[in-house]
Amino acid sequence: MTDFSTGSDSSCNGGITVEECQGMIQRSLKSPVVRFLREHLEKAGCGVGDNFFKAVNCETQTAGGYTQGKGIVLCSNQISSEDEVNQVLIHELIHAFDDCRAANLDWSNCAHHACSEIRAGHLSGDCHFKRELLRGFMGIRRHEPLNSSISDMRRIYVYTGSFFLN
C-alpha cells in the first residue's frame, strides 16, 4: 500500500513530535473503544500487539493509515491532539478488522476500498455531526452523504492516483 514515513523526527505543519504521538497512542490503547476493537480483532484471529501502531512524520496530508500486513501508522506532523490520535486509531482499527474478516477484500479494488472507508467513517464517528461542524461543514442537512461520498472518494483518489484502476 502506502509508505507514510519521511524518516524525520521533528514536527511540522503544526503537528506534534513523533515521541508525543507515540505517547498519545499508548494512552489511546487504553480507551474503551480501542480496547473493544483490539479484543474483537483477537477473537477473530487477528490479534495486534503494541508494535502494530507506529507514529511517524508523513509526506502526505493524512492523519494516518492502515497497511495490510504492516499495521497502523499515525502521521504525527498532521495530528494536533490526543482526541485526533484516538479517532484515527479507531478508524484504522476498523480497516484492520475489515481486512481480517472479509475473505475476498481487495484493497486495490476501489469499490472494496470505498466500502471499508464508508464503514470506518460511520462506525468510528468520523461522520458525527459535531465532528463535521468542527471541520467547517456547517450544513444541517445532508452532512453525512457529503462526508461519505466526497471525502472517501478523495481518499481513494489520493491512495490510488485514479478513481479507476486498469
Side-chain angles (χ1 to χ4, degrees), residues 5-141:
S5 177
T6 64
S8 173
D9 282 342
S10 62
S11 66
C12 60
N13 298 331
I16 58 176
T17 66
V18 169
E19 294 79 18
E20 289 171 321
C21 188
Q22 201 63 49
M24 290 179 183
I25 290 170
Q26 292 307 311
R27 287 188 294 278
S28 287
L29 292 178
K30 297 173 185 169
S31 79
V33 176
V34 171
R35 282 195 341 245
F36 174 84
L37 289 167
R38 287 182 74 190
E39 178 183 311
H40 281 79
L41 274 164
E42 185 76 37
K43 287 180 181 177
C46 300
V48 296
D50 290 349
N51 61 347
F52 189 76
F53 309 94
K54 185 177 180 182
V56 298
N57 283 319
C58 301
E59 294 176 4
T60 59
Q61 288 190 330
T62 186
Y66 167 74
T67 302
Q68 186 178 35
K70 292 186 180 179
I72 294 173
V73 169
L74 280 86
C75 299
S76 60
N77 57 322
Q78 302 294 328
I79 293 175
S80 59
S81 72
E82 195 154 340
D83 180 60
E84 259 184 282
V85 169
N86 200 45
Q87 194 64 33
V88 172
L89 278 180
I90 293 166
H91 181 101
E92 300 307 331
L93 279 167
I94 293 167
H95 288 313
F97 188 81
D98 286 349
D99 192 37
C100 174
R101 295 291 298 159
N104 298 318
L105 180 62
D106 177 4
W107 290 105
S108 65
N109 180 319
C110 286
H112 292 196
H113 199 136
C115 182
S116 185
E117 282 297 342
I118 291 167
R119 274 179 40 80
H122 283 284
L123 294 174
S124 69
D126 282 347
C127 297
H128 189 275
F129 184 68
K130 285 194 319 190
R131 289 201 185 277
E132 291 297 291
L133 285 175
L134 292 173
R135 290 182 183 124
F137 296 117
M138 303 301 280
I140 302 278
R141 294 185 192 158

